[in-house]
Amino acid sequence: MGGNFLQSRSAIRHEVGQYIIRNIFASSGLSLYILVDTVFIAAAGGTFGLAALNISLPVFNFFNSLGLLFGIGGSTIYSINKLKDPKKVETLFGKLLLFCILLGCGFAILLNLFPTQILTILGAEGQTMAVALGYFRIIALGAPLFMCNYVCVNFIRNDGNPQLTMIATLSATLVVVFLDWLLIFVFNLHMLGAAIATLFSPLTSLTVLTFHRKNKQRQLKLKFAFPEPKTLLKAASLGIPSFLTEMSTGVSIFVFNWVLLKLSGNYAVAAYGVIANIAIVVLALSNGIALGVQPIASREYGKRNWENVKTAMKLGIQVAFGLACLLYFILVVFKTPIVSVFNHDHSAKLAQIAVNGLPLYFLSVFFASQNLVIMLSLAAIERAKMAFVLSLLRGYFILIAAVLIFAKFFGVNGVWLSVPFTEACVCALGFYFLTSALKNKN
C-alpha cells in the first residue's frame, strides 16, 4: 500500500511538472507580444510612445480578464465533470465561446464610438492622446479575438492537450515579432503597425488551436448553443479570481499612471510602462505554474483524492518560489541593460526612475508567485469565495490604499514599494485560507 501511494504521488508530481512546463511557455507566449510591442514602440515612438502604450494597457487587460473569467471558470467546471458526468458539459464550451464573441463585438463597437473620452479617463492628454488614439481604436477591434482565445486555450489545456496550447501561444508570439518589425520599420506605420500586429496574436493562436480536433484522445466538442444566465454565472463564479487577478494589473496601471503623472510627469509614466510590461511577463510565468496545477487539482478533487490534490499544490508552490528567486536575481543584476532596451531616446530621467524602481517593485515577485498558485488552487477545489477575497484585497483594496498612502509619504519610491507590501499581506492570508481549505474537506 505504501509503495502504491508513493508511486501515485510520484506520478502526480511528474504529471503536474509536465503541465507546469508547458503552461509556463504558453502563458509567457500570451504576454511576450506585449513586451515585444513595448520594445518596438519605444524605438518608433520614444518616451511618449511608451506613455501612450501604458495608458492603453488597462483596456487590453480588460479583454484578457473577461476571457479568463469564462475560460478558467468554464474549464474548471469541464475538468470536474468530464469524467463523471460528460453530458452535463457537452455544450459548455460552445455556449461560452458564443457569448464571448457577442460580448467582444459589443465592446469593440462601444470603444470605437467613444475613444477620446475613454482615453481621457485613462490619463491621456496632449501628445500622449495624439499617439494613443489610433493604437487604442485598433486594439479595441480585437476584443472578441482576445476573449475567445483565452476560452479556447483553457478548455483545450484542460482537455489534456497542454502541448498544443504551448505551440499556439509561442507561434502567436513569433508571428507578432515578425509583423511588428515589418509594419513598424518596413512600412513605417509606427504605433498603428504595432496595434495591427497585436491583432494577429489571438488570430494565430486560434488557428493553431483548431488542430485539437485531430487529437484522438479529445473529449471536448464544439457545439454552439445559446448560453443560459445560470451557466454564465456558474462559470463566472469560479473564474472571478482569475478575472480579478488579471484585471488588477489594468487597475494598478491606471492608478499608478495617475499618481506618477502628478509626482513626476510623463517620464515617470514611461518608466512605469517599462516596469509594468516586464511585470506582465513575470506574472505570466508565475501564472503558468498556477495553470499547470489547476487541471490536475480539479481532476483529483473531482475524484476526492485529497492526497494528490495536496501533492499538486505543494509542487506548484515550490516551483513558484524557485522561479521567483531566479527572476529577481536576473532583474536586479541586469536592471540597467534591461531598462536601456526600452530607452531609445536615451532619456537620463526615464533611466534613473526605472533603474531605481525595478529592484523595489519586483520584491513583490516572491509573494505574487505564491498568490497566483494559491488563488487558482482554491478555485480548483471550489473554494471560490476564498479566492475571491484574496483577489479583491490583492488587486484593489490593499493595493490602491497602499499606493496612495506610500506615495504621499515616500514619493515615487513609495509607489514601487506599495506592490511588495500588498503581495506580502495577501500571501500571508492566502496560506491561511489554503491550509484551512485542505483541513476541511467537506
PDB file of all heavy atoms in Angstrom, residues 309-320:
ATOM      1  N   VAL A 309      -4.349  16.030  -4.512  1.00  0.00           N
ATOM      2  CA  VAL A 309      -4.617  17.472  -4.569  1.00  0.00           C
ATOM      3  C   VAL A 309      -3.513  18.222  -3.839  1.00  0.00           C
ATOM      4  O   VAL A 309      -2.945  19.198  -4.353  1.00  0.00           O
ATOM      5  CB  VAL A 309      -5.989  17.806  -3.949  1.00  0.00           C
ATOM      6  CG1 VAL A 309      -6.162  19.323  -3.805  1.00  0.00           C
ATOM      7  CG2 VAL A 309      -7.125  17.236  -4.805  1.00  0.00           C
ATOM      8  N   LYS A 310      -3.174  17.764  -2.624  1.00  0.00           N
ATOM      9  CA  LYS A 310      -2.122  18.413  -1.833  1.00  0.00           C
ATOM     10  C   LYS A 310      -0.772  18.323  -2.531  1.00  0.00           C
ATOM     11  O   LYS A 310       0.004  19.281  -2.527  1.00  0.00           O
ATOM     12  CB  LYS A 310      -2.037  17.763  -0.448  1.00  0.00           C
ATOM     13  CG  LYS A 310      -3.230  18.024   0.443  1.00  0.00           C
ATOM     14  CD  LYS A 310      -3.065  17.287   1.765  1.00  0.00           C
ATOM     15  CE  LYS A 310      -4.291  17.453   2.658  1.00  0.00           C
ATOM     16  NZ  LYS A 310      -4.143  16.698   3.922  1.00  0.00           N
ATOM     17  N   THR A 311      -0.485  17.174  -3.134  1.00  0.00           N
ATOM     18  CA  THR A 311       0.794  16.990  -3.827  1.00  0.00           C
ATOM     19  C   THR A 311       0.935  17.970  -4.981  1.00  0.00           C
ATOM     20  O   THR A 311       1.994  18.584  -5.167  1.00  0.00           O
ATOM     21  CB  THR A 311       0.907  15.542  -4.354  1.00  0.00           C
ATOM     22  OG1 THR A 311       0.876  14.637  -3.249  1.00  0.00           O
ATOM     23  CG2 THR A 311       2.200  15.342  -5.133  1.00  0.00           C
ATOM     24  N   ALA A 312      -0.138  18.135  -5.751  1.00  0.00           N
ATOM     25  CA  ALA A 312      -0.111  19.060  -6.883  1.00  0.00           C
ATOM     26  C   ALA A 312       0.115  20.494  -6.424  1.00  0.00           C
ATOM     27  O   ALA A 312       0.932  21.235  -6.987  1.00  0.00           O
ATOM     28  CB  ALA A 312      -1.415  18.954  -7.673  1.00  0.00           C
ATOM     29  N   MET A 313      -0.609  20.898  -5.393  1.00  0.00           N
ATOM     30  CA  MET A 313      -0.495  22.270  -4.894  1.00  0.00           C
ATOM     31  C   MET A 313       0.886  22.540  -4.293  1.00  0.00           C
ATOM     32  O   MET A 313       1.474  23.607  -4.512  1.00  0.00           O
ATOM     33  CB  MET A 313      -1.576  22.538  -3.849  1.00  0.00           C
ATOM     34  CG  MET A 313      -2.981  22.570  -4.415  1.00  0.00           C
ATOM     35  SD  MET A 313      -4.201  22.837  -3.104  1.00  0.00           S
ATOM     36  CE  MET A 313      -5.721  22.779  -4.060  1.00  0.00           C
ATOM     37  N   LYS A 314       1.398  21.564  -3.526  1.00  0.00           N
ATOM     38  CA  LYS A 314       2.703  21.741  -2.888  1.00  0.00           C
ATOM     39  C   LYS A 314       3.800  21.911  -3.929  1.00  0.00           C
ATOM     40  O   LYS A 314       4.680  22.774  -3.798  1.00  0.00           O
ATOM     41  CB  LYS A 314       3.007  20.538  -2.002  1.00  0.00           C
ATOM     42  CG  LYS A 314       4.299  20.679  -1.201  1.00  0.00           C
ATOM     43  CD  LYS A 314       4.508  19.485  -0.280  1.00  0.00           C
ATOM     44  CE  LYS A 314       5.808  19.632   0.497  1.00  0.00           C
ATOM     45  NZ  LYS A 314       6.033  18.455   1.403  1.00  0.00           N
ATOM     46  N   LEU A 315       3.751  21.102  -4.989  1.00  0.00           N
ATOM     47  CA  LEU A 315       4.751  21.220  -6.052  1.00  0.00           C
ATOM     48  C   LEU A 315       4.663  22.586  -6.725  1.00  0.00           C
ATOM     49  O   LEU A 315       5.684  23.220  -7.003  1.00  0.00           O
ATOM     50  CB  LEU A 315       4.553  20.112  -7.084  1.00  0.00           C
ATOM     51  CG  LEU A 315       5.555  20.129  -8.255  1.00  0.00           C
ATOM     52  CD1 LEU A 315       6.982  19.964  -7.757  1.00  0.00           C
ATOM     53  CD2 LEU A 315       5.208  19.045  -9.279  1.00  0.00           C
ATOM     54  N   GLY A 316       3.445  23.054  -6.966  1.00  0.00           N
ATOM     55  CA  GLY A 316       3.264  24.369  -7.592  1.00  0.00           C
ATOM     56  C   GLY A 316       3.872  25.484  -6.759  1.00  0.00           C
ATOM     57  O   GLY A 316       4.544  26.381  -7.282  1.00  0.00           O
ATOM     58  N   ILE A 317       3.663  25.434  -5.461  1.00  0.00           N
ATOM     59  CA  ILE A 317       4.194  26.461  -4.554  1.00  0.00           C
ATOM     60  C   ILE A 317       5.727  26.415  -4.518  1.00  0.00           C
ATOM     61  O   ILE A 317       6.394  27.458  -4.535  1.00  0.00           O
ATOM     62  CB  ILE A 317       3.606  26.267  -3.135  1.00  0.00           C
ATOM     63  CG1 ILE A 317       2.127  26.684  -3.144  1.00  0.00           C
ATOM     64  CG2 ILE A 317       4.378  27.072  -2.099  1.00  0.00           C
ATOM     65  CD1 ILE A 317       1.362  26.295  -1.895  1.00  0.00           C
ATOM     66  N   GLN A 318       6.293  25.219  -4.521  1.00  0.00           N
ATOM     67  CA  GLN A 318       7.753  25.079  -4.516  1.00  0.00           C
ATOM     68  C   GLN A 318       8.373  25.620  -5.797  1.00  0.00           C
ATOM     69  O   GLN A 318       9.374  26.356  -5.758  1.00  0.00           O
ATOM     70  CB  GLN A 318       8.135  23.603  -4.325  1.00  0.00           C
ATOM     71  CG  GLN A 318       7.813  23.062  -2.940  1.00  0.00           C
ATOM     72  CD  GLN A 318       7.989  21.550  -2.855  1.00  0.00           C
ATOM     73  OE1 GLN A 318       8.009  20.857  -3.874  1.00  0.00           O
ATOM     74  NE2 GLN A 318       8.093  21.034  -1.639  1.00  0.00           N
ATOM     75  N   VAL A 319       7.793  25.264  -6.925  1.00  0.00           N
ATOM     76  CA  VAL A 319       8.318  25.735  -8.210  1.00  0.00           C
ATOM     77  C   VAL A 319       8.178  27.251  -8.321  1.00  0.00           C
ATOM     78  O   VAL A 319       9.076  27.938  -8.830  1.00  0.00           O
ATOM     79  CB  VAL A 319       7.592  25.033  -9.382  1.00  0.00           C
ATOM     80  CG1 VAL A 319       8.028  25.627 -10.714  1.00  0.00           C
ATOM     81  CG2 VAL A 319       7.877  23.541  -9.367  1.00  0.00           C
ATOM     82  N   ALA A 320       7.058  27.785  -7.823  1.00  0.00           N
ATOM     83  CA  ALA A 320       6.828  29.230  -7.876  1.00  0.00           C
ATOM     84  C   ALA A 320       7.899  29.994  -7.099  1.00  0.00           C
ATOM     85  O   ALA A 320       8.391  31.033  -7.553  1.00  0.00           O
ATOM     86  CB  ALA A 320       5.444  29.565  -7.329  1.00  0.00           C
TER      87      ALA A 320
END
